[in-house]
Amino acid sequence: MAGTAAYEPFLKFRYPFRTHQKMILDRFEQEIRKKEPGQPLRLHVVAPPGSGKTIIGIELAVRLKKPSLIVCPNTAIQGQWVKKVELFIPENSGVHPGEIVTSQSDQPRFINVLTYQILSIPEDAAETIIDLAEGFWANDISQAQHIEQEEARARIAAMKTSNPAQYKKELSKYTKGIRNGKLLDSQAARSGDKDSLISVLHPRTRELLTKLRNYGVKTVIFDECHHLQTYWAVVMKNILEWMGIENIIGLTATPPVDERTEILQNYTNLLGPIDFEIPTPAVVKDGMLAPYQDMTYFCIPGQQEMAYLSNCHQKFHSLVEQFKSPDSDFCQWMKSRIIERRLADGTQREWRKLFAARPDFSTAGVKYLIKAGVRIPADITLTSEMAGDLTIEEWAMLIEDYALNRLKISGEEAHQALYDTIRDALYTLGFILTEKGIRTYISPIDRVLSYSRSKLQAVKDILRHEMRLMGDRLRVAVVTDFEYSNALSLAKLDNVLDEECGGAISVIKELVTDEELDTLNPVMVTGKSLLCDDDIAETYLAHFKEWANEHGYDINLTMKPVYGGRLYEIEGSGRDWNTKSAILFTTSLLEKGITRCIVGTRGLLGEGWDAISLNTLIDLCCASTYASVNQLRGRSIRKDENYPRKLANNWDVVAYAPGLEKGINDLKRLHKKHRQFYSICEDGRIQKGVAHIDPSLAFMTDMNLDAINRFNEKMMARAAERESQYDKWRIGEKFANIEQDSVEFSMERSAVPCDTGVFTLHTANLRGKAAANKFKGGAGALALLAAIAAAGVSIPVAIGLGAASALFIRSSIKGMNKAAEYSRKHVLCMDSLELARRFGLCLFHALKDAGLINRMLLEKHLNISGREDGSVRVFLDASSEESALFAKSFDELLSPIMNQRYAVPRYETAVPDSRGDLAAINAGLKPGQALVAAWHPVPDVLGVNKEKAEIFKKHWNRWVSRGELVYLKSAEGERIIEQYGMNNVLGIKKQVASFWR
C-alpha cells in the first residue's frame, strides 16, 4: 500500500475540464469543506450519458488520496474505467496503467474496478434467500408461539413436505422482504453485527473484500448507481460499513426518482439525496453531446379501434348522465357526504377534518355540487381545483363512494342492480371496483391506444419525410417495448388488435413492404430474433464473418428467408454468439450505412447502447419513467465527427381518439414522459415539459382531425429546420446551470377592458398624440382662413395657403385615426401580453417593496413574451428561489378567489358603443363609468398580513385597477366569494413551467 500513495500527486488529467465538469468538481470541494468529522463523505451526482462521468470519478478518486473501489454494472463499463485511467498518466512516464488500476480481484491497486455482481451475489443466491427466509419465518413463529427455534423450523419442514402450496405462499412473504431489502436491513439493525450479512456472500467475494479492506480502500465510487435498489442497495450498505469506507460517491444519469417509496428509501439510505445535477443541455452547450429537438406526430385509431373505444365509453356516459340531475339519489348522497357530513353520533364533521382525511374526494364532491347548481355553504373552503368540469377520474372517485357506502349496503334490488351496472361501466374504462375501493389497471383502452395500428402509418410518414430531408445521412432507430405485443393477453381485444400490434416485428414488416422505405435496408434486433432486409442478407453475412474474425469471436451464422422472402431470419451459434454480439455488429452496419434503420426493443436499444451516427429516433414505447425516457433520449445525441452540426430529431407517436375522455390517455403519457426532460423551445429557451415540443400542447384539451393535421404539418416543417434549430442551442455559450420557474398562460378573450381611471404610460402617450392632433387641426384651420384672405390679393398665395391647410387637416385626420386605434388597443383594452405586463409589474414592485426579492432587481429583469400559439410566458430573471417565488405568486394572482386571505377588485371601464375616433380618444382620456368585473386574490406570500397586503394593493392601484383591499374571511369577503368565487372570468389556462439557463 505504501507505494500507491505516490501515485496521487503523479496522476493528472491531460486535458482541460469542461465547464459542467468544473461545476461538479467545485461542488465536491464544497462538500469536503462541509463534512462533519467522523462522518463519511457522500457525493451524489446526476449527469447525462456522454458527460464524462468516468473522468470525473477518477479525478475524485485522485483528489481523495485514498485507494478506491469503483463499482460498475457490467464488464463493458468496467473496461472503460480501466482505459480512461491512462488519460491521467503523463505520457512517456514509463508507468504502466496496471501498476495503478486493476479490474482483477487477486491484487488490489490504487484504483480497483469491479462489477456489482462480483460484490453482491451470494454463494447460491436462490438457496441462500430461501434459507434466510425460513430463518426469519422460524424466528417469527418462535416469538409468536413462545416455542424454540428448532421446533419452529420443524413445523416449517413438515409444511414443506405435506402442504407445499401453503409453504410456498408463506415463504414468498419472506423472500419478497429479502429481495426488497427490508428484512436484511432490519436483521442488521437488530443484530448490530456487521459480519452477519457479509457471511451470505460467496467465499471468493468475502476474500476479495477482505483484501480490499486490508489494503486500505476508503473510497467507493458507484457508477450507474441507479442500479442500487432493493437487495443490492442493502448488501452494499452493509459492505461499506464492514469495510469502514470514508467516502461514498454515486454517479448516474437516471436516479430512480419515480420509483416506489421503499425502493427510493433504500437508494437514498446508501447514497443520500442528490447533491448536484447537470442536465443534458449543459453537456450539449459544452460541446460533448449533439443538440436535439423533440417532436410529436399524432394519429387517430382506425375505424375498428375507434368503434371499440366508443363502446367502452358508452356505458359510463349513460351512467353519469343520470347522476347529473340535482334531484337524483346520487346528488342527494353527495350533499349528505360533502355538505351535511353527519357522523355516527349525529354531529357534523368539520370540513377541515374531512378535507384533511380525503382531499381528492372532497374536491371532486364540491366540484360536482357546484356543477349541479347546489349552493356551497360558507364553512366549506373553496380551492382552484374545485372549478371546472369533473374529470373521468373524479367521477369514478365519487361513484366509488356512492356504490360502496350507499348501494352495496342497501337491501333494495334496484340498488343492487345499479351497483352491478356501475361495476361493469367502470371496468371498461380501467377501474376495478372492490370492497377496498377502486384500483386502476392497464385497461383495454390503454392498450388499443398504445398499440394502435395507426402508429405504423405514422412511423412510415415520419421516415419518408426524414429520408427526403436527410438522404443517405439518415440513421434512424425505431424503438418498441416488445418484439410481439402483449396486448394479445386480453381476449376482449380479439378482432381489434393482433399479436404483432405495437411490436418491433410489425414495424419491420411494414417497412420492407413499402417500396420507398425498403431502401433503408432495415434490420430488427431483439432479445429473441434477428431479422434483416432481403436486399442486404448476403452483405450482412459477409461483413459479419469479417467482423468476427477481426475480433477473434467464435461465431457461426445461418439464415433463412421468412415473410415471403422479404426478410431473412439470422441464427447464430458458437461460444461468443449472444445478444450483445448481435447488437454490436448490427450497430456497426448502421454506422457504415449498410442499414440506415434499426428496429429494436427498449431493453436492447436503451441504456448502454451507443450509435454515434444515429440522428433520428422514433419512440413507440409506453414506458414513461424518468429513467427510461432519459436513457432512450440519450441514444441519439452522441457527437458524430463526420457530421459536426448534427442535430437529432426525437419523435414520439401519439394515438388520439377525439371526443372520448380516455381517448387522451396516450397524450397524458406524453406529458408524463416530458415532465422531467429538458429540450429546446421554438424561442430558444430550454424547458421541461411538453411545451418544448409545442406550446399549444400545454393547454390542449381537445383536438379534431383538422387540428391534428395542422399540428403534424408543423412538426414536419420543423424536422426540416435542423440547421436553424442547431443555432438556437448556441453551443459554446456560457451557462449558469440554474433552473428558473415561469408561468405560461393563455386567455380565451382576445382582450379585456381596462380601468381607465388608472393613469399609465399608455394614457400619457395618448395625451401626447391627442395634443399633437389638436395642433395639426388648429394649424389647418388657420391656413384655411389665410387662404381665404389671400384670395383677394394673389391667386398663387391663396393656392399655397390652401394646400398647407389641406396638408395639416389630412395629417390631423390620420393622427386621429392612429390615436383612436392606440386608445382602443392600449388604453381602453388590454390583450394577454398587456395584461401580463400590468399584472407582472404590480407583483414585481410589491415583492420588492415587501422585501421578498432583491431590491436591486430592475424592471428589465421581468421577462414577458408571446409564444407561437398565442400564449404568454412570464418569468423573473433572478435567482432560482426568487424566480420560483415570483412564478408561484403570479400563478396565484391569475387564479379565482377561494380561500385566500385578501383580494382586490379589477374594474373595467365601459367601452363606448360609438365607433367614432373622437369617442375612442375621449374615452381613453376621460375615465368613464367603471364596474367591478372580477376579484383577484392577493398572492399568499403578500397576503400573510394586512401590512403586506396593503403594499400589494398600492401597486395594484398603480398598474392595474382602482379599488380597496377586502379581507375574504369577513362577512363582506364571504359575500364577494359567493358572487365572484371560482369564476375564471378571463378564461385563463395556465401552468408553472421550469426552464434552464
Side-chain angles (χ1 to χ4, degrees):
M1 176 181 168
T4 62
Y7 291 131
E8 178 271 315
F10 173 74
L11 296 173
K12 183 178 175 63
F13 187 50
R14 295 177 188 174
Y15 306 101
F17 290 109
R18 303 281 182 140
T19 301
H20 72 274
Q21 292 172 324
K22 290 177 183 177
M23 289 178 170
I24 297 172
L25 295 172
D26 288 345
R27 182 53 181 265
F28 166 75
E29 295 296 339
Q30 292 175 21
E31 294 298 318
I32 287 284
R33 290 191 291 271
K34 285 164 43 180
K35 188 177 87 72
E36 295 288 337
Q39 292 295 316
L41 168 74
R42 280 186 168 87
L43 183 69
H44 188 181
V45 175
V46 176
S51 59
K53 291 191 292 295
T54 306
I55 296 297
I56 289 297
I58 297 170
E59 177 66 17
L60 295 179
V62 170
R63 292 191 183 193
L64 287 166
K65 306 178 182 179
K66 299 283 179 71
S68 301
L69 169 63
I70 295 166
V71 195
C72 49
N74 55 55
T75 54
I77 295 176
Q78 183 184 30
Q80 292 172 15
W81 277 88
V82 173
K83 187 72 175 172
K84 294 293 185 183
V85 171
E86 296 179 12
L87 298 176
F88 286 76
I89 301 173
E91 295 179 283
N92 304 318
S93 65
V95 175
H96 189 274
E99 299 176 48
I100 298 170
V101 61
T102 182
S103 60
Q104 304 302 314
S105 56
D106 54 344
Q107 179 58 55
R109 295 286 187 269
F110 182 64
I111 296 176
N112 304 274
V113 189
L114 302 172
T115 64
Y116 289 107
Q117 291 89 339
I118 288 176
L119 293 183
S120 63
I121 291 181
E123 187 168 1
D124 185 325
E127 288 187 12
T128 301
I129 289 174
I130 290 172
D131 191 49
L132 282 171
E134 288 185 351
F136 286 124
W137 184 5
N139 189 57
D140 287 349
I141 293 172
S142 174
Q143 292 181 6
Q145 299 184 18
H146 304 288
I147 61 177
E148 296 297 323
Q149 279 270 351
E150 291 75 10
E151 186 179 348
R153 281 189 174 272
R155 179 180 179 277
I156 293 170
M159 185 187 296
K160 184 176 183 180
T161 303
S162 60
N163 192 352
Q166 192 63 36
Y167 166 82
K168 289 179 180 178
K169 181 179 178 181
E170 291 297 326
L171 186 74
S172 66
K173 299 175 184 177
Y174 293 92
T175 55
K176 181 181 178 182
I178 292 169
R179 292 184 189 280
N180 67 26
K182 290 182 178 178
L183 279 176
L184 294 175
D185 228 2
S186 61
Q187 166 67 12
R190 283 199 302 267
S191 68
D193 180 6
K194 294 180 181 179
D195 292 333
S196 63
L197 292 180
I198 301 299
S199 64
V200 306
L201 300 178
H202 193 286
R204 287 195 299 274
T205 302
R206 295 198 294 270
E207 181 185 351
L208 168 61
L209 292 173
T210 301
K211 284 184 178 180
L212 292 171
R213 183 171 70 169
N214 293 341
Y215 191 75
V217 168
K218 294 298 178 184
T219 297
V220 173
I221 300 173
F222 294 109
D223 190 20
E224 303 295 354
C225 61
H226 57 275
H227 289 285
L228 289 166
Q229 301 174 23
T230 61
Y231 174 69
W232 269 5
V234 176
V235 170
M236 286 297 175
K237 182 171 177 286
N238 283 277
I239 288 175
L240 299 188
E241 291 176 359
W242 180 81
M243 292 181 67
I245 295 301
E246 298 173 359
N247 309 302
I248 303 168
I249 296 166
L251 305 173
T252 183
T254 53
V257 291
D258 45 12
E259 284 289 358
R260 298 193 311 274
T261 303
E262 61 268 23
I263 290 178
L264 191 57
Q265 187 173 356
N266 284 333
Y267 179 80
T268 54
N269 283 346
L270 175 64
L271 298 166
I274 295 170
D275 295 299
F276 196 71
E277 182 169 4
I278 287 289
T280 302
V283 189
V284 172
K285 279 187 169 290
D286 251 352
M288 288 184 71
L289 292 175
Y292 55 93
Q293 61 174 337
D294 282 283
M295 292 175 293
T296 296
Y297 195 92
F298 282 92
C299 55
I300 293 179
Q303 186 174 356
Q304 197 170 10
E305 294 169 347
M306 279 298 295
Y308 178 85
L309 296 171
S310 298
N311 288 338
C312 287
H313 283 76
Q314 188 55 48
K315 285 184 180 180
F316 190 80
H317 288 159
S318 300
L319 185 69
V320 165
E321 202 58 40
Q322 61 182 292
F323 292 160
K324 289 182 178 180
S325 170
D327 300 322
S328 67
D329 184 64
F330 180 83
C331 188
Q332 301 310 310
W333 176 257
M334 282 301 116
K335 285 197 285 188
S336 72
R337 303 292 272 175
I338 299 298
I339 295 176
E340 297 170 13
R341 307 189 297 279
R342 294 295 172 193
L343 296 171
D345 61 2
T347 60
Q348 187 182 42
R349 188 181 193 182
E350 291 183 51
W351 167 255
R352 62 182 180 85
K353 291 184 177 179
L354 174 64
F355 190 83
R358 304 180 68 187
D360 294 336
F361 172 78
S362 303
T363 299
V366 173
K367 184 186 285 192
Y368 164 79
L369 292 172
I370 290 172
K371 295 296 289 185
V374 177
R375 183 181 177 276
I376 306 300
D379 69 325
I380 291 179
T381 302
L382 300 177
T383 67
S384 60
E385 290 79 11
M386 295 171 184
D389 295 325
L390 273 79
T391 65
I392 204 164
E393 288 76 18
E394 288 171 327
W395 269 115
M397 194 186 312
L398 299 182
I399 291 172
E400 169 201 309
D401 184 82
Y402 177 64
L404 294 179
N405 300 311
R406 167 71 169 152
L407 302 180
K408 194 172 183 180
I409 62 176
S410 170
E412 296 182 27
E413 289 187 12
H415 284 172
Q416 293 303 312
L418 181 55
Y419 178 87
D420 292 339
T421 300
I422 286 173
R423 185 182 57 200
D424 292 344
L426 290 173
Y427 184 80
T428 60
L429 295 184
F431 304 107
I432 299 176
L433 183 60
T434 72
E435 178 62 21
K436 294 182 179 180
I438 281 179
R439 63 183 175 86
T440 59
Y441 74 107
I442 300 175
S443 70
I445 289 176
D446 293 313
R447 294 190 182 278
V448 169
L449 291 170
S450 298
Y451 306 134
S452 170
R453 277 207 162 273
S454 62
K455 290 191 175 183
L456 294 176
Q457 183 58 50
V459 170
K460 291 161 69 175
D461 291 344
I462 294 168
L463 285 176
R464 286 195 190 96
H465 188 66
E466 293 282 10
M467 283 178 69
R468 291 160 191 165
L469 294 173
M470 297 292 290
D472 291 339
R473 288 194 305 180
L474 179 65
R475 301 290 186 276
V476 60
V478 183
V479 186
T480 68
D481 285 314
F482 313 102
E483 180 178 341
Y484 285 89
S485 166
N486 66 355
L488 243 209
S489 60
L490 293 176
K492 287 188 176 182
L493 291 177
D494 282 351
N495 303 319
V496 181
L497 297 180
D498 60 45
E499 65 177 4
E500 295 181 354
C501 286
I505 190 70
S506 65
V507 175
I508 195 165
K509 283 186 176 182
E510 285 289 329
L511 301 187
V512 297
T513 52
D514 183 286
E515 185 176 346
E516 182 178 4
L517 299 179
D518 185 45
T519 61
L520 291 172
N521 297 326
V523 175
M524 185 194 85
V525 56
T526 70
K528 297 179 181 178
S529 305
L530 179 58
L531 300 175
C532 75
D533 183 27
D534 62 322
D535 297 326
I536 61 167
E538 294 301 324
T539 304
Y540 192 100
L541 270 183
H543 278 80
F544 195 96
K545 289 177 181 177
E546 181 181 326
W547 179 80
N549 290 334
E550 180 183 337
H551 291 84
Y553 291 153
D554 174 22
I555 300 175
N556 293 301
L557 293 187
T558 60
M559 60 171 55
K560 62 181 179 182
V562 293
Y563 195 51
R566 293 182 179 276
L567 289 168
Y568 273 74
E569 183 177 10
I570 300 168
E571 294 181 344
S573 60
R575 183 183 64 253
D576 299 313
W577 172 250
N578 51 39
T579 303
K580 180 182 176 182
S581 56
I583 190 67
L584 282 173
F585 173 69
T586 303
T587 303
S588 72
L589 293 187
L590 184 74
E591 303 286 15
K592 294 174 182 176
I594 295 171
T595 174
R596 289 186 288 151
C597 176
I598 184 168
V599 180
T601 54
R602 177 167 48 91
L604 289 184
L605 304 186
E607 180 182 358
W609 180 61
D610 281 325
I612 302 301
S613 62
L614 187 69
N615 49 44
T616 303
L617 174 72
I618 303 178
D619 180 4
L620 297 181
C621 300
C622 297
S624 55
T625 63
Y626 174 81
S628 60
V629 173
N630 238 11
Q631 287 289 356
L632 192 55
R633 286 302 193 275
R635 300 312 102 204
S636 61
I637 58 176
R638 298 294 184 173
K639 292 283 287 184
D640 185 355
E641 293 181 1
N642 297 319
Y643 186 6
R645 286 177 62 85
K646 169 184 168 179
L647 179 128
N649 281 348
N650 294 331
W651 290 89
D652 284 290
V653 179
V654 173
Y656 186 89
L660 301 176
E661 291 92 334
K662 287 282 188 174
I664 64 171
N665 279 15
D666 219 26
L667 177 57
K668 285 183 177 179
R669 189 182 297 113
L670 181 78
H671 277 257
K672 188 177 179 184
K673 274 186 173 183
H674 289 264
R675 189 176 299 153
Q676 297 296 326
F677 190 72
Y678 282 113
S679 190
I680 195 84
C681 295
E682 87 288 349
D683 60 357
R685 296 276 178 192
I686 296 169
Q687 181 173 318
K688 282 181 181 176
V690 292
H692 62 225
I693 301 171
D694 190 83
S696 66
L697 288 177
F699 309 112
M700 190 176 292
T701 55
D702 195 18
M703 297 177 77
N704 56 29
L705 181 59
D706 288 340
I708 287 173
N709 287 336
R710 286 195 300 272
F711 188 93
N712 289 344
E713 287 170 5
K714 185 177 181 180
M715 292 292 104
M716 292 299 200
R718 189 179 300 168
E721 299 171 356
R722 274 184 158 98
E723 287 296 319
S724 61
Q725 289 296 109
Y726 184 97
D727 291 335
K728 285 179 182 178
W729 277 91
R730 299 193 291 274
I731 294 169
E733 185 179 274
K734 290 184 178 180
F735 55 86
N737 193 41
I738 63 170
E739 186 175 90
Q740 292 180 313
D741 285 350
S742 67
V743 174
E744 296 176 349
F745 74 93
S746 65
M747 196 167 72
E748 283 182 5
R749 300 163 64 179
S750 59
V752 295
C754 297
D755 178 4
T756 55
V758 174
F759 187 85
T760 66
L761 181 63
H762 292 306
T763 313
N765 288 340
L766 180 62
R767 285 184 178 180
K769 292 175 184 291
N773 286 324
K774 284 181 180 179
F775 166 76
K776 290 176 182 176
L782 289 173
L784 183 60
L785 290 173
I788 293 170
V793 181
S794 168
I795 295 297
V797 172
I799 292 172
L801 291 173
S805 169
L807 181 63
F808 273 112
I809 291 173
R810 183 180 178 188
S811 176
S812 175
I813 292 171
K814 282 186 174 182
M816 284 180 62
N817 289 338
K818 289 182 178 180
E821 185 68 15
Y822 186 88
S823 179
R824 292 187 186 98
K825 283 188 174 180
H826 301 290
V827 181
L828 295 177
C829 292
M830 53 182 170
D831 59 14
S832 55
L833 270 171
E834 179 63 16
L835 181 141
R837 189 186 74 85
R838 295 191 186 197
F839 279 37
L841 286 167
C842 161
L843 180 60
F844 171 75
H845 287 288
L847 290 172
K848 274 185 66 173
D849 279 7
L852 296 170
I853 58 175
N854 192 330
R855 294 184 187 275
M856 300 301 291
L857 290 170
L858 304 174
E859 286 184 7
K860 68 179 182 179
H861 293 112
L862 178 62
N863 282 262
I864 300 167
S865 59
R867 304 198 66 181
E868 281 183 342
D869 66 329
S871 62
V872 177
R873 178 195 281 139
V874 183
F875 73 93
L876 183 65
D877 191 1
S879 69
S880 294
E881 295 75 18
E882 290 170 323
S883 170
L885 176 64
F886 181 88
K888 179 178 181 292
S889 300
F890 195 89
D891 178 66
E892 292 167 352
L893 184 55
L894 293 180
S895 300
I897 56 169
M898 293 157 299
N899 64 330
Q900 301 91 344
R901 289 173 56 81
Y902 293 95
V904 288
R906 181 174 55 79
Y907 284 86
E908 293 182 357
T909 302
V911 179
D913 293 333
S914 169
R915 296 186 178 181
D917 289 345
L918 283 175
I921 294 172
N922 286 334
L925 294 175
K926 300 175 182 177
Q929 183 181 4
L931 299 173
V932 174
W935 285 80
H936 293 267
V938 175
D940 291 348
V941 72
L942 290 162
V944 292
N945 55 47
K946 190 172 182 181
E947 181 184 0
K948 284 188 169 65
E950 287 288 355
I951 293 173
F952 178 82
K953 177 249 177 188
K954 178 183 73 174
H955 291 286
W956 182 261
N957 293 161
R958 175 189 175 191
W959 295 102
V960 182
S961 176
R962 294 166 287 180
E964 296 301 317
L965 189 72
V966 170
Y967 182 57
L968 292 178
K969 308 298 181 184
S970 65
E972 181 186 3
E974 288 181 4
R975 288 194 297 273
I976 288 171
I977 289 175
E978 186 171 349
Q979 183 177 356
Y980 294 95
M982 310 291 291
N983 188 3
N984 185 6
V985 68
L986 296 176
I988 295 284
K989 295 178 183 177
K990 58 188 173 69
Q991 70 162 359
V992 176
S994 298
F995 62 91
W996 175 91
R997 66 176 182 85

